[in-house]
Amino acid sequence: MEGPTAVEGAIVVEELCEDSRTAGDPGAPDVGGLRRAVDRLRRQLAVLPGELPDRAVADEELAALAAMTVRGRPEAARLRRSLLLLTGAVGSVSALSPALSEVRARIEGFG
């Protein structure tokens, strides 16, 4: 398999620039903030002791959210769907409540 072409490289650079412009625009949602909130929740879920029946669902949705933040501005409807799944999976775990609330607040910033 060959490496990325110049066009693919240009697209990546353009996406990175777009991401940084979004971060500097006070009216734009904060993709980096969402990424950090998702990472925090993932870390806290990973060290949570004991069995959690829907841990796999939560892990999958957190991975999907992390992937969406890498690709630029995520789609609001897809973010809300992920939030519903996460809330159903870990919403009753009080130890995760602050991190889940942060993810929720970041997602609400996308509309």
Side-chain angles (χ1 to χ4, degrees):
M1 189 163 127
E2 295 181 22
T5 66
V7 172
E8 290 170 334
I11 292 170
V12 170
V13 170
E14 182 179 335
E15 287 175 356
L16 290 173
C17 290
E18 179 180 328
D19 212 17
S20 65
R21 281 193 307 265
T22 300
D25 182 357
D30 182 10
V31 176
L34 176 58
R35 183 179 311 117
R36 289 185 297 278
V38 167
D39 288 343
R40 176 180 173 212
L41 182 55
R42 285 179 93 175
R43 286 190 308 273
Q44 289 184 4
L45 180 61
V47 298
L48 189 70
E51 289 297 314
L52 184 62
D54 292 326
R55 183 183 295 264
V57 172
D59 286 334
E60 288 174 12
E61 283 310 309
L62 288 168
L65 282 169
M68 283 186 256
T69 63
V70 171
R71 287 183 243 143
R73 184 177 173 166
E75 182 183 327
R78 179 64 177 96
L79 290 173
R80 287 191 297 274
R81 179 183 180 278
S82 289
L83 179 60
L84 285 172
L85 289 168
L86 281 172
T87 301
V90 300
S92 64
V93 180
S94 60
L96 299 176
S97 183
L100 181 59
S101 293
E102 184 180 355
V103 169
R104 177 182 295 121
R106 297 295 182 163
I107 287 175
E108 288 173 354
F110 286 85

